Amino acid sequence: KHLAVLNFNDNYGNAYVSALQRAVQNYAPHMVLKTINIPRFAEADDIVQAISIARETQFRYFFTTIGDKFEEVMEEAYRQGIAGTGQHNWIFAKNIFEAIKQRTFKRNSPLHLALRGTSKLTEVGGMPGMDGYDKFVEQWKTLNNPEDVKYVMSKQPTYPDEPLFEPVKMDDAAFQSPKGMAPFLYDATIALGLAACNVTQGQDFFDGKSHYDAFKQMRFTGATGDLFFEEDTGSRDPNSALFQMFNYAESAESEGSDEVSFTDVVTALFRNGGWIVDQPFTYNDGTTEIRPDLPDVNVDYKYIGTGLRAAGLVLCALVMLQAIGFALFTKLNQNSRVVKASQPVFLYIICFGAVVMSAAIIPLSIDDEIASTKGCSIACQSVPWLICVGFSVAFASILSKTLRINKIFHNPSIRRIKITARDVAKPIFASLALNVLVLSLWTALSPLHWSREVTAVDEFNRAVTSNGICTSEGFLPYVIILVVGNVGLLALALYQVYNARSLSTEFAESEYIFKALFIAVLVCFVGIPVMIIVEGEPKAYFFLLSSIIFVLCSALLLFMFVPKILFHLNPDKGKQKDAVRQFVSKKYSTGPSSTVDQQGVSYHRKASASSVASWASTGGGETGVSSSPPQEPSDDINKENAELKKTIETLNARVESLVKEQERRGESSVEEV
């Protein structure tokens, strides 16, 4: 596809270049042909400059009509590193044939190394077995008689002023087989004669244009094969000509000798518009494999790489180990008050969601360095499934858990309320259903698939940088719905945590949940825009998304479980909170008689103060919390209840402050305060 032509600026070389340019234009328009002209009477500096230009092309194939300057050209080409390297290959016109074949070269000399594996392209004036050629040879041999020889010699031109000129010898050897241009001259003469006959039909005279137009229409079988001509140039159509490719190889006599000679071997024949390979072609490096026409290009595929892939998988493993460890803690301590108060089923769901979401790092680490295109496409589609389903399960459970707490403890009336498993599961199933529906439509209608896009090319329009990406047509609506839905879920959970901010950490863990959700919001706020920015950098994208998943999962797990583990390992802190709860209960209860007056204030106060403690001690069962009098309380009682509730909250805050002060001073118990 890339060929540099070093042309000696003479009639022969210019005609050759012109023919090559037409051939490229008509038959190989994709080919790049670079012509480098060398003056006919070139000096050493001219050759150095021409070879320098050839080297700058970075081409690996060169064609030249250098003729008698081949030694200077090839030695300079060797010196500048574009000959004899095993990577560069030279093709000569036929005028260099005898100059190489009739010489010997010192082994491993610049000329020996540069000429090894070179070739010669030459036209052929017919071959034995061709009907027209065989007839021509037969008639040619009949000219070997004194009368015809004398006639032919009389027609040869003489040049008295050119002492070096020698006429063609017409001896017995000349008539054995026609040499050189004889068959071509014969066919050209016949073509001109037939064209003249055609144009003179019905008239006595013709002009040059009429003769030329008639010549271009000629089509016949001659000594050199079928002849037909190009309409635009009048030259012979190359598809009707014969060409041979000769390969220069070391002769058998040169083996083991310091002097090397070359022999020409016919490797291919061009006939009827196609090449017929006769035997393998040996290149400059001694192999028969076709050599590239340009230097090798090092393509940066921007693979994730083993090191970064391992780092991402380590993050995935850390999250999974955390989730499994915290789930095991929940199972082993399921009868502990702090675990029961935190509702174990929600803790299991959070662990499960973290495992699913962190598992997205595994397919995210797959690219076509380690997997097939089909495998990469499967990995592409699994990433949003794992991230969205895991995120939905984990954070919807937080929402459901906090919503349950708020329904119980922010009950404006003292009526009996019942929260069933179905009520608790609704937010989880709703969020999960939305994600599964959108992901299913995405997978069915516009699935993600793995593809590579070229991001940079070299001067030969070859890819030097390529990115592997997961892409699909029309993916944006699905992404928008998933992002809005899950971010909305996160915002709603944050709102419920805010409403539960005044409740005890033992029940709603509002402080720690708020911190976990705040980190999640912060990570999404910063991480999503950065992911969009680095989308064209696979390594950065993988590391960033893996880190975001790790931070989200770890923050959620650590803030949900570490305080519980500390609470479980430090029961004294729990006893202090029990003392606070008992203090509040005693402060606002009136003894056993309060249960008799079903409409009185004393009953209402006791229910308000003790309902929280009662729910906590049972672990928040699904049957709900009962605190209903037989009759509907009056407006005065409701008003008084609201005032007492405010008082309780004030005292709770005060007691919490005193407890913290006690802890700081190292005092023994809240009763001493």
Side-chain angles (χ1 to χ4, degrees), residues 138-158:
E138 182 181 353
Q139 294 300 316
W140 176 264
K141 291 181 179 180
T142 63
L143 297 176
N144 191 13
N145 60 79
E147 182 179 355
D148 289 334
V149 168
K150 181 179 178 180
Y151 176 79
V152 171
M153 294 298 295
S154 68
K155 298 300 181 182
Q156 290 199 46
T158 59

Side-chain angles (χ1 to χ4, degrees), residues 295-302 452-467:
D296 295 335
V297 58
N298 294 322
V299 182
D300 182 7
Y301 292 101
K302 293 193 174 181
R452 280 206 163 270
E453 61 177 14
V454 176
T455 56
V457 296
D458 62 7
E459 58 186 294
F460 303 110
N461 203 35
R462 297 182 300 175
V464 294
T465 304
S466 173
N467 285 348

Side-chain angles (χ1 to χ4, degrees), residues 252-513:
E253 294 79 7
S254 301
E255 185 175 355
S257 174
D258 291 336
E259 296 294 325
V260 179
S261 61
F262 290 96
T263 183
D264 56 332
V265 179
V266 178
T267 58
L269 171 69
F270 182 86
R271 184 176 183 182
N272 297 327
W275 283 99
I276 302 172
V277 177
D278 186 40
Q279 56 181 302
F281 186 98
T282 302
Y283 293 88
N284 185 254
D285 62 353
T287 68
T288 58
E289 296 181 2
I290 298 177
R291 310 308 302 162
D293 57 346
L294 291 173
D296 295 335
V297 58
N298 294 322
V299 182
D300 182 7
Y301 292 101
K302 293 193 174 181
Y303 292 129
I304 293 174
T306 303
L308 192 57
R309 183 179 292 109
L313 295 177
V314 167
L315 296 180
C316 172
L318 289 176
V319 173
M320 290 185 175
L321 290 175
Q322 291 179 65
I324 294 172
F326 291 141
L328 186 61
F329 164 79
T330 303
K331 179 64 177 177
L332 295 177
N333 299 280
Q334 58 185 348
N335 295 322
S336 171
R337 187 182 64 188
V338 65
V339 175
K340 292 174 67 176
S342 299
Q343 307 154 76
V345 64
F346 289 111
L347 300 181
Y348 290 134
I349 293 175
I350 291 172
C351 292
F352 174 75
V355 169
V356 173
M357 184 159 52
S358 65
I361 298 177
I362 298 175
L364 191 64
S365 67
I366 296 176
D367 58 17
D368 51 2
E369 182 184 17
I370 61 172
S372 65
T373 300
K374 182 178 180 180
C376 292
S377 296
I378 296 173
C380 285
Q381 195 60 57
S382 64
V383 170
W385 273 93
L386 294 172
I387 291 178
C388 293
V389 170
F391 186 94
S392 173
V393 169
F395 287 91
S397 65
I398 294 291
L399 171 63
S400 182
K401 172 181 173 65
T402 313
L403 186 62
R404 180 186 189 188
I405 298 296
N406 285 333
K407 283 185 177 181
I408 294 174
F409 290 103
H410 290 142
N411 184 18
S413 63
I414 310 301
R415 294 180 180 180
R416 175 185 176 89
I417 59 173
K418 184 176 183 180
I419 302 175
T420 64
R422 178 179 297 179
D423 296 328
V424 172
K426 282 180 180 179
I428 299 176
F429 286 139
S431 175
L432 190 59
L434 173 64
N435 280 274
V436 170
L437 176 61
V438 176
L439 289 168
S440 298
L441 292 174
W442 187 1
T443 304
L445 301 178
S446 183
L448 287 168
H449 62 273
W450 179 264
S451 65
R452 280 206 163 270
E453 61 177 14
V454 176
T455 56
V457 296
D458 62 7
E459 58 186 294
F460 303 110
N461 203 35
R462 297 182 300 175
V464 294
T465 304
S466 173
N467 285 348
I469 58 173
C470 296
T471 183
S472 71
E473 297 180 0
F475 69 93
L476 190 58
Y478 305 103
V479 174
I480 292 176
I481 295 174
L482 291 172
V483 170
V484 171
N486 287 292
V487 171
L489 171 68
L490 189 61
L492 187 57
L494 197 60
Y495 172 75
Q496 291 297 330
V497 171
Y498 176 78
N499 287 341
R501 66 191 183 281
S502 60
L503 300 179
S504 170
T505 301
E506 183 182 349
F507 301 128
E509 306 101 341
S510 58
E511 177 186 355
Y512 300 106
I513 294 177

